[in-house]
Amino acid sequence: MTLLFTLIMIQALLGAFDNLWHHEVTEKLPSKRAAAGELTLHAARELLYAFLFFAFAWYEWRGGWAVLIGTVLAVEVVITLADFIVEDQTRHLPKLERILHTVLAMNMGAVLIVFAPILHEWWSAPTSVRPTAHGAVSWVFTVFSAGVLAWSVRNALAVLHHRRPPEWVRNPLKTFATPSGRTILITGATGFIGGQLVRRLLTRGDAIIVLTRDADRALDRFGPHVRIITDLKALETDTCIDAVVNLAGEPILGLPWTRARRSALLRSRIDTTRALIELFANLDRPPRVLIGASAVGYYGVRGDEELDERAAPQPIFQSTLCQEWEAISRAAEAFGVRVVSLRLGLVLARDGGALPSLARPVRMRLGAILGSGRQWMSWIHIDDAVRLIEFALGNPALHGAVNAVAPEAVTHEQFQRELARTLHRTMGLRVPAGILRTLLGDMAQLLVDGQRVVPVRAVTAGFVFQYSEVGNALRQLIGRSPMRSVTRRQSVYYNGACALCRVEMNHYSRRCETAAVPVRFVDSSIKYDALAEYGLRREHLQRRLYLESPNGQMVSGVAALTRLWAQTPGYQWLSTVVSLPIVRCITEMVYDHVAVPILAAVENWYPPEPLSRGRILGS
């Protein structure tokens, strides 16, 4: 058994390296929708390995039980061969990964050769599962089992995530019926600021070109509503681009600022901006304006000093990073391009940026004040950030540096206590600044030092902030606001060809009608062209429930049901329960992967009612 266990350990360590380095770090497979097939095979194989590690650690499988072990090993070999084929067909494998796969295959062959006589011996014995132990090896194998089981679950969840309908189908984008005639190129559009900006610009009729390294992700988010390119060289010289918004750049808060990390942060900003300048030189007509993202880190560490756009920078990394980024952007002025550098503060958003990470420990009653708590935080609500970009695009008088922060900065302690108050939690923990500086090095400046920035140029130019007070911003983003009655009509689009859906919507319609709740129920199997402005086709409407609010915002699936329940008498409690984060996540998986497939099957079993029965309910 010693030789067998040695070979298995080698297999486990090589497989772990392959998973960690190639699948996670290099290829980032769990984040790629196109890798769903490969991840399915990985999850299945890792589940088998979890069983085998535990089985070999503590038991001998004798008699008929030996067939189970042999079968699991045979299935593992088949899955591995299928995985090799899928990997060759879907992505380019680097030499190291090919070599590693060859070594893994040879080592697995050695495992099977060594294990064959042991398996035969087990087969020859009376049928039983005999407990055994192999000292430290058993515990090592148990750790391996737990590790690959966790990896299997993680990959399975990623597969479920990728098997959902695309984001543009789940959260439709509305386009303006009459094109504006403007074309805007956006880099970093798949980020949380860029995604919100694309949605806003589409609603005013702009044509959007998205430059991205991950075309699959952009296609998932925006679908047919935008043009997606992965290289600026794909644009012809006669391409008409009216404006460019450059939001590309790796998040500055993350891994420690090692030399390699600093270089990566700088390259992610400088290389894209330099490529844009080269594009401007090649276009027959350069764009009128370039909006470039920067950050309030430009000002460095300044204590309580109030900083407007005239304040000087400092010779520290976060400042020099912004200085070099803005300097490259200003090179566009040589081509007659108006350049605006938005120095963004902490952008608060419900589903992106720093706020979810800040709110999570507070929800778990682990929120803490970092350092003295007196360091300033300059922040801005995502809606104001997007509106300010739109404002800068259309205001020819605005140029140069513009502080993209709310008028009222707060200290870190004020922010944390307001966050705790919004989430109905207490705030009692503190983390000394020295610990953070020791662990994070210079990057700790982002957490324990700050800037008190004021948006002088934006306000002077006439921009009006919707959220100037942090409490209002947090309550709007993550607060528990009471249910409010609907005063303007909402529209629910359901699949009337599904008998169960029809019965359920009829029930909600009667309740809303009795309570005079203005909700209109539309059978999308008949009026399937009603949502063409969102790019939704008949097959989309027949597979999901959609709810359109009076302001034109469209949600679907569980989000639509939650809003409908919130207004339907007798169902408000269900809306509250399903809105809880963990329950919401589970419910969405059940809806996408269980409810929708079952309802699709039921629709095939029961023919739809005659068209004469189709109608708009609650109108």
Side-chain angles (χ1 to χ4, degrees), residues 461-525:
F463 183 77
V464 178
F465 288 86
Q466 290 184 343
Y467 301 93
S468 58
E469 198 272 322
V470 72
N472 290 334
L474 291 175
R475 283 189 291 274
Q476 192 275 333
L477 291 170
I478 60 175
R480 300 178 184 174
S481 58
M483 297 294 180
R484 297 178 179 176
S485 60
V486 177
T487 57
R488 298 173 60 192
R489 185 176 298 278
Q490 300 183 95
S491 298
V492 174
Y493 295 83
Y494 69 98
N495 180 16
C498 167
L500 293 178
C501 302
R502 190 167 58 247
V503 170
E504 183 181 10
M505 291 302 120
N506 280 333
H507 171 71
Y508 295 145
S509 175
R510 287 192 297 269
R511 282 184 171 259
C512 289
E513 186 175 358
T514 300
V517 177
V519 180
R520 184 179 68 145
F521 292 80
V522 182
D523 184 347
S524 59
S525 67

Side-chain angles (χ1 to χ4, degrees), residues 84-103:
F84 287 166
I85 295 173
V86 170
E87 288 179 339
D88 275 332
Q89 291 177 341
T90 58
R91 61 186 176 93
H92 175 72
L93 299 180
K95 290 183 179 180
L96 177 59
E97 189 170 5
R98 290 185 179 276
I99 293 172
L100 193 57
H101 286 176
T102 302
V103 174

Side-chain angles (χ1 to χ4, degrees), residues 280-583:
F280 298 165
N282 294 328
L283 289 176
D284 295 341
R285 183 175 69 84
R288 293 192 296 269
V289 57
L290 167 64
I291 309 295
S294 185
V296 294
Y298 175 93
Y299 303 111
V301 178
R302 307 292 283 270
D304 292 332
E305 182 182 354
E306 195 171 81
L307 306 167
D308 63 18
E309 288 84 356
R310 297 170 299 177
Q314 290 183 337
I316 59 176
F317 175 68
Q318 61 172 304
S319 179
T320 57
L321 176 66
C322 296
Q323 292 175 58
E324 294 190 40
W325 198 5
E326 293 183 18
I328 295 294
S329 296
R330 285 196 298 272
E333 294 176 347
F335 304 99
V337 179
R338 175 170 61 90
V339 177
V340 179
S341 295
L342 288 180
R343 293 174 182 167
L344 290 157
L346 178 70
V347 182
L348 303 181
R350 179 179 292 105
D351 54 0
L355 183 58
S357 299
L358 292 171
R360 193 173 300 116
V362 177
R363 281 196 176 98
M364 299 171 64
R365 303 184 187 278
L366 296 175
I369 295 171
L370 306 181
S372 67
R374 293 190 298 272
Q375 65 271 30
W376 287 95
M377 291 180 62
S378 298
W379 60 276
I380 186 171
H381 190 289
I382 180 65
D383 290 350
D384 281 338
V386 171
R387 288 176 55 250
L388 183 55
I389 294 174
E390 184 182 18
F391 181 80
L393 286 171
N395 190 334
L398 198 62
H399 63 87
V402 176
N403 289 335
V405 296
E408 298 181 14
V410 294
T411 65
H412 171 68
E413 182 168 356
Q414 289 172 335
F415 180 89
Q416 287 293 85
R417 295 200 181 282
E418 191 62 49
L419 180 59
R421 188 178 301 112
T422 303
L423 295 173
H424 303 282
R425 298 291 189 270
T426 58
M427 182 71 63
L429 302 178
R430 286 185 178 270
V431 179
I435 294 178
L436 293 172
R437 296 189 193 279
T438 300
L439 293 175
L440 304 178
D442 289 346
M443 193 177 70
Q445 293 170 356
L446 300 177
L447 303 176
V448 298
D449 299 308
Q451 304 87 12
R452 188 179 184 181
V453 181
V454 290
V456 171
R457 287 188 177 171
V459 172
T460 302
F463 183 77
V464 178
F465 288 86
Q466 290 184 343
Y467 301 93
S468 58
E469 198 272 322
V470 72
N472 290 334
L474 291 175
R475 283 189 291 274
Q476 192 275 333
L477 291 170
I478 60 175
R480 300 178 184 174
S481 58
M483 297 294 180
R484 297 178 179 176
S485 60
V486 177
T487 57
R488 298 173 60 192
R489 185 176 298 278
Q490 300 183 95
S491 298
V492 174
Y493 295 83
Y494 69 98
N495 180 16
C498 167
L500 293 178
C501 302
R502 190 167 58 247
V503 170
E504 183 181 10
M505 291 302 120
N506 280 333
H507 171 71
Y508 295 145
S509 175
R510 287 192 297 269
R511 282 184 171 259
C512 289
E513 186 175 358
T514 300
V517 177
V519 180
R520 184 179 68 145
F521 292 80
V522 182
D523 184 347
S524 59
S525 67
I526 299 173
K527 294 181 67 64
Y528 54 83
D529 59 343
L531 299 179
E533 60 186 341
Y534 292 91
L536 298 173
R537 300 186 298 273
R538 184 170 186 169
E539 58 267 28
H540 299 138
L541 296 170
Q542 289 180 326
R543 291 294 178 266
R544 297 187 72 79
L545 178 77
Y546 288 90
L547 185 146
E548 184 181 30
S549 61
N551 64 2
Q553 182 185 13
M554 178 72 68
V555 294
S556 73
V558 174
L561 283 170
T562 303
R563 291 195 184 185
L564 175 59
W565 289 331
Q567 311 303 332
T568 303
Y571 286 88
Q572 285 89 349
W573 67 271
L574 185 57
S575 175
T576 301
V577 172
V578 174
S579 297
L580 297 174
I582 296 178
V583 178

Side-chain angles (χ1 to χ4, degrees), residues 35-51:
E38 185 178 348
L39 288 171
T40 301
L41 295 173
H42 291 177
R45 183 175 59 197
E46 288 152 2
L47 183 62
L48 296 180
Y49 271 124
F51 168 74

Side-chain angles (χ1 to χ4, degrees), residues 185-188 190 209-219 226-235 271-272 275-276:
L185 170 66
I186 302 177
T187 72
T190 56
I209 301 174
V210 168
L211 173 66
T212 179
R213 292 175 298 177
D214 191 345
D216 286 341
R217 185 178 179 189
L219 185 62
V226 304
R227 177 185 176 185
I228 300 171
I229 61 173
T230 57
D231 192 333
L232 290 174
K233 295 179 181 178
L235 297 175
D271 291 352
T272 300
L276 288 172

